[in-house]
């Protein structure tokens, strides 16, 4: 019985990694669709998001069955409750990648990103890619230096998120309102993606150490 | 033992209602701070948010203790897992009210809302107030017509959210970029607030009926 339980618990961990891998692919493809104004790539990100949602539901059902049938305690219990929480964060990261793809689709055939903000948004995307890669490594190895990589990347994203608003409100900014809306939302989606990565990193850290660390919390809005 | 368990389970339900009541107050005060450009009210919403976060942590600890000590099964188990999920949604609604207050504070002494969008944002706020009131009634009574009230209000919010972007992108829109950013984010916060209300309503419905209903899902971004 104990052996079956450990195998089931391992499966919950594997499911989390699988979802995180799909989120990584979704982000990469959403970014590519955005920067290349590639509507077909955007469509695929949008339709593939259903698979992330389905996997999250499976993981949740598995977790609830484990709680019901095994009555786990102590660290096993916290791991299962933590998995329920982390799956929700990862699912939301998938949604945010989908939202980026939806902006691409709405503006097609025009690019959604104006050339003077392309560098900033590209750097935010790269930092989100660093974050999801570190989250996957953290889930697989539980080595906490990967959590530090997440927090460092998020701190830089926060700076860039603020810089987008600074740029848009300078006298030189002459793009139309639609572009202002698009970059405001894109910057927010990319900031939120990173923030959910921080949530997952904090949860794994808590599971490993039993203590909440002093990692950065949610950014205030611009 | 069973009696203690039922009392604890009742307490989890009461805690959810208490958090929802604080969210209701936060929304009302954030809305007032926004529409009156009242920075003192905004400050209080921002500092009171810590209390919502603390109550959520208490509820989560209580739920995890119940899982560990009582090994609940079937509907009790689903209720506790559901409470963990709902507390996360309610906490997030509190964050969104705080974000609205933060926009007020950033623009003070100027109002953050331009006069030509005040009516639309005011209606969105009223719908969010309808939603949190219905969520409280739903948590207290489990009568599912309150869930329908949530879905109806959210459908209207989605229309208004789109209309904000339509308005901002007309040729007549002449406000500066900062205002465009502010209304884009405010509209998004109010839409998200309603969306988390829908999540809670769906969860309660699931707990009552055992089935997911066909309520509206997340809106695509503009």
């Amino acid at each position: 019985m104990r052996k079956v339980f450990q195998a089931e618990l391992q499966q919950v961990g594997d499911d989390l990694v699988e979802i995180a891998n799909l989120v990584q692919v979704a982000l990469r493809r959403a970014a590519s669709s955005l920067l290349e104004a590639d509507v077909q790539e955007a469509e695929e990100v949008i339709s593939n998001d259903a698979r992330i949602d389905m996997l999250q539901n499976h993981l949740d059902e598995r977790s609830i069955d484990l709680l019901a049938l095994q009555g786990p305690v102590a660290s096993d219990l916290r791991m299962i409750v933590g998995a329920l929480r982390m799956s929700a964060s990862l699912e939301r990261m998938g949604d945010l990648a989908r939202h980026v793809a939806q902006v691409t689709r709405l503006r097609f055939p025009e690019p959604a990103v104006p050339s003077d903000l392309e560098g900033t948004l590209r750097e935010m995307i790269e930092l989100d890619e660093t974050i999801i890669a570190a989250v996957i490594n953290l889930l697989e190895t539980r080595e906490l230096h990967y959590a530090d990589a997440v927090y460092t990347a998020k701190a830089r994203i926060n700076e860039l998120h603020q810089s987008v608003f600074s740029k848009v409100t300078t006298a030189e900014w002459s793009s139309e309102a639609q572009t202002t809306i698009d970059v405001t939302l894109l910057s927010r989606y990319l900031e939120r993606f990173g923030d959910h990565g921080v949530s997952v990193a904090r949860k794994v850290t808590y599971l490993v150490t039993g203590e909440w660390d002093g990692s950065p919390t949610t950014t205030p809005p611009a």
Side-chain angles (χ1 to χ4, degrees), chain A:
Chain A
M1 194 69 172
R2 182 77 197 156
K3 211 163 154 185
V4 173
F5 175 68
Q6 286 304 330
E8 286 280 331
L9 205 58
Q10 177 65 45
Q11 186 61 51
V12 167
D14 292 349
D15 287 354
L16 274 180
V17 172
E18 185 179 356
I19 296 172
N21 277 315
L22 289 177
V23 169
Q24 184 176 43
V25 172
L27 174 67
R28 191 182 303 142
R29 299 187 72 176
S32 158
S33 81
L34 180 72
L35 297 170
E36 311 291 330
D38 181 341
V39 75
Q40 197 174 333
E41 192 82 345
E43 294 288 1
E44 295 205 23
V45 173
I46 294 163
S47 64
N48 288 349
D49 188 45
R51 176 149 172 80
I52 294 177
D53 297 351
M54 193 192 70
L55 280 174
Q56 190 212 359
N57 285 337
H58 284 183
L59 184 149
D60 288 2
E61 288 303 317
R62 191 189 299 273
S63 301
I64 291 171
D65 285 352
L66 272 177
L67 290 172
L69 300 175
Q70 308 283 350
V73 294
S75 65
D76 289 345
L77 172 62
R78 287 192 180 260
M79 195 271 160
I80 296 169
V81 171
L84 284 166
R85 289 275 175 67
M86 290 189 271
S87 77
S89 289
L90 291 168
E91 187 270 331
R92 186 75 196 126
M93 292 166 92
D95 284 348
L96 289 161
R98 173 167 55 80
H99 288 179
V100 169
Q102 283 168 318
V103 174
T104 306
R105 184 170 68 177
L106 275 164
R107 291 306 148 245
F108 184 79
E110 296 300 315
V113 178
S115 55
D116 44 359
L117 274 172
E118 192 184 319
T120 306
L121 290 177
R122 196 182 280 275
E123 188 178 347
M124 292 179 81
I125 288 165
E126 284 164 6
L127 289 159
D128 276 336
E129 286 176 343
T130 299
I131 285 175
I132 187 64
V135 162
I136 292 169
N137 284 327
L138 183 61
L139 288 170
E140 284 180 334
T141 67
R142 301 194 159 213
E143 291 174 19
L144 296 183
H145 64 92
Y146 290 117
D148 293 332
V150 171
Y151 307 146
T152 304
K154 182 57 175 37
R156 177 69 184 140
I157 286 179
N158 291 352
E159 291 172 4
L160 292 167
H161 184 51
Q162 291 303 321
S163 82
V164 168
F165 298 134
S166 303
K167 181 110 182 195
V168 168
T169 52
T170 53
E172 291 75 44
W173 179 257
S174 59
S175 298
E176 54 190 18
Q178 184 64 64
T179 306
T180 305
I181 296 174
D182 287 344
V183 298
T184 300
L185 290 176
L186 286 168
S187 183
R188 173 86 181 160
Y189 299 150
L190 295 171
E191 184 276 321
R192 287 282 96 198
F193 186 100
D195 200 65
H196 285 286
V198 167
S199 293
V200 176
R202 295 185 73 187
K203 220 133 274 166
V204 176
T205 302
Y206 176 63
L207 290 174
V208 172
T209 65
E211 284 180 13
W212 285 107
D213 66 354
S215 64
T217 54
T218 318
T219 352

